[in-house]
Amino acid sequence: MKLNKKLKKWQENTLISFEQSQAILMYEAQQQAKNHWFLYGFIILGAVVTGIGIISIIAANWVNLSATMKIGADFALLALLAMGIFYFQTQRKKSIWTEVLLLSFQLLCLASIGLISQIYHSGGAWYHALLLWSIITLPITLYSKKYFSHFFWVTLFLLGFVWSLVAFYSQLLGLDTKGLDFERKLTLVLLITPLFSIALTYISEQFQYQQLANTLRVWFVISALSSLVYADMLYWSPFISWQELQEGFISEALFTPIYMITGLLVGLLLFKSDYRALSKIVLLMMIVLLLVLYHPQLLVSATAEYERSLLAPVLIIAILTLYAIHLGISEQQGLFNAITFLIGLRFLLIYFEVIGSLAATGVGLIISGLIIIGVSYTWYRTRQPLQGWIRRLR
């Protein structure tokens, strides 16, 4: 309706002709016909609800079913889904049912691993199951043309691989027997995930799996921001002493896989032909600063307590600024705006940390409100000129 009104108004003001108006309407109608995301979502919801119903019926009669019957029914369902995927993929390539069956096949493969583990008591941790699932479902996931199937696969793959890597290496060094706590494992996971996901993004782009690369890039942004927030929290945590930070968050030996992944990432970045030299430089600097953020003993002495309050904010703002420069050069305007907004937000947090209890007073609230308005307005007015200036640097 809005488009019809605009076209009518443009036509009345002789901006476009009647033929151009009809051509625009036909084009927009075709674009809307291709957009089935709402139908896709509701069909997936219906398939999930149906699956839960089937599972509940099976669960009610679980004791009465033999192991052979359970495995047989599971593989029969997998075969039916595979045949359905093959039919819709070869006969009706644009059918939405292809994507629905692909996602159902992914979910059933994961359920099958759990079923086999339950029947035969194979054991293993949850991340081992996710890693196995991601390996056996990768080929069929590459057939998917929709975002959700790739996002589902990438999410579980990163969880399975990174946690398996951390568990394997800590066990190899015998650190599990010494009590490697969950917080330190989580630190490793949050540091490995962004480095590994962006390395896989470059590899996927090299082999022209663009849909997979886009999903991995989304997880790079999510995991990178998570690692920055987590490091910021650790520097200010009252439960971690400055001496522990001086010694590093985790054992230096556990950084070996991180250094290996970083080496792979640096090699891929240096040979990435579609990146300009300035982008490569700022990204390399960003990687170095991220590693330094998790090595506080490299910068701050144990006696300089006040430096602790400055180290994390300065490094985080520097990392975000370098990434914003890369986004400006590569003309990713939406993400550039988001990162520059986060930089301004971190400056605001520094302000509130500095004034402390003054913020709770009337004068402090007035000053704080004016500063928030000023920072927000300044960011809004300068974000596009700033991106244009950065773009000219290349």
Side-chain angles (χ1 to χ4, degrees):
M1 292 297 294
K2 290 181 179 180
L3 180 62
N4 286 331
K5 290 180 180 179
K6 287 184 177 181
L7 291 176
K8 186 177 180 180
K9 188 174 181 180
W10 293 344
Q11 192 175 339
E12 290 173 353
N13 288 274
T14 65
L15 296 174
I16 59 174
S17 64
F18 175 77
E19 291 77 12
Q20 290 173 324
S21 175
Q22 294 301 309
I24 292 172
L25 287 173
M26 289 180 61
Y27 173 79
E28 290 297 327
Q30 292 175 354
Q31 293 300 112
Q32 290 180 5
K34 295 177 182 179
N35 190 8
H36 297 300
W37 63 267
F38 59 95
L39 177 62
Y40 179 59
F42 277 105
I43 289 177
I44 289 177
L45 177 61
V48 170
V49 172
T50 303
I52 292 174
I54 294 172
I55 291 172
S56 64
I57 294 173
I58 295 173
N61 301 277
W62 187 257
V63 179
N64 301 322
L65 298 176
S66 64
T68 303
M69 187 176 296
K70 295 172 186 175
I71 296 294
D74 180 71
F75 278 88
L77 285 173
L78 284 171
L80 287 173
L81 287 174
M83 288 187 291
I85 293 169
F86 178 78
Y87 170 77
F88 285 107
Q89 179 71 17
T90 54
Q91 303 298 323
R92 303 170 64 182
K93 292 185 178 181
K94 294 185 178 180
S95 175
I96 193 173
W97 292 106
T98 305
E99 304 301 327
V100 173
L101 293 176
L102 273 170
L103 182 61
S104 301
F105 189 86
Q106 288 177 320
L107 291 170
L108 188 56
C109 284
L110 186 60
S112 301
I113 294 173
L115 175 65
I116 294 172
S117 177
Q118 190 271 339
I119 292 175
Y120 296 104
H121 306 287
S122 57
W126 59 270
Y127 41 81
H128 295 148
L130 293 182
L131 184 58
L132 174 62
W133 170 86
S134 59
I135 293 172
I136 63 179
T137 56
L138 174 60
I140 198 167
T141 301
L142 296 177
Y143 277 100
S144 177
K145 304 299 181 185
K146 299 292 182 181
Y147 177 75
F148 188 77
S149 296
H150 286 88
F151 186 82
F152 181 67
W153 184 89
V154 168
T155 302
L156 298 190
F157 166 70
L158 289 175
L159 280 172
F161 178 84
V162 176
W163 277 100
S164 296
L165 178 63
V166 171
F168 169 77
Y169 209 73
S170 60
Q171 185 177 11
L172 183 66
L173 297 175
L175 296 176
D176 273 349
T177 58
K178 299 177 182 178
L180 184 65
D181 53 46
F182 175 78
E183 289 77 10
R184 296 179 186 274
K185 286 184 178 179
L186 182 60
T187 303
L188 279 169
V189 168
L190 290 177
L191 189 54
I192 291 174
T193 304
L195 298 172
F196 184 61
S197 56
I198 194 63
L200 288 181
T201 300
Y202 295 154
I203 294 174
S204 300
E205 288 175 342
Q206 184 67 29
F207 288 95
Q208 299 182 349
Y209 291 118
Q210 195 58 46
Q211 189 81 340
L212 190 61
N214 293 338
T215 311
L216 285 164
R217 195 180 297 276
V218 169
W219 266 113
F220 160 71
V221 175
I222 294 173
S223 57
L225 293 178
S226 300
S227 67
L228 295 181
V229 172
Y230 184 71
D232 210 359
M233 292 170 59
L234 282 177
Y235 274 80
W236 281 97
S237 174
F239 304 106
I240 297 179
S241 68
W242 186 226
Q243 285 71 26
E244 289 178 343
L245 286 173
Q246 291 294 323
E247 296 168 0
F249 296 151
I250 47 182
S251 171
E252 188 64 30
L254 279 171
F255 267 92
T256 302
I258 296 175
Y259 295 146
M260 294 172 62
I261 294 172
T262 302
L264 171 64
L265 175 58
V266 170
L268 292 169
L269 184 59
L270 290 175
F271 289 99
K272 194 162 177 58
S273 58
D274 56 334
Y275 278 7
R276 296 182 179 272
L278 183 57
S279 277
K280 293 180 180 181
I281 292 171
V282 297
L283 288 175
L284 288 173
M285 292 172 62
M286 187 181 75
I287 294 170
V288 171
L289 290 182
L290 180 62
L291 294 178
V292 170
L293 183 63
Y294 282 84
H295 288 77
Q297 72 276 16
L298 297 178
L299 296 180
V300 183
S301 64
T303 57
E305 190 71 25
Y306 70 93
E307 295 181 4
R308 176 180 180 178
S309 61
L310 297 176
L311 179 60
V314 169
L315 286 176
I316 289 171
I317 290 173
I319 291 170
L320 292 175
T321 302
L322 289 170
Y323 190 49
I325 293 173
H326 163 69
L327 294 173
I329 294 172
S330 55
E331 300 185 12
Q332 300 180 54
Q333 183 174 353
L335 195 52
F336 174 84
N337 291 338
I339 296 300
T340 52
F341 173 78
L342 290 177
I343 294 172
L345 182 62
R346 191 62 187 90
F347 273 113
L348 277 178
L349 292 177
I350 292 174
Y351 163 75
F352 284 117
E353 290 164 4
V354 170
I355 67 171
S357 59
L358 180 62
T361 66
V363 176
L365 288 173
I366 293 173
I367 296 174
S368 301
L370 292 174
I371 288 177
I372 291 172
I373 293 172
V375 170
S376 301
Y377 182 75
T378 302
W379 169 80
Y380 179 78
R381 296 287 294 179
T382 60
R383 71 192 194 282
Q384 291 183 349
L386 180 61
Q387 185 184 6
W389 177 78
I390 292 174
R391 194 184 301 121
R392 289 192 294 272
L393 291 177
R394 61 186 186 179

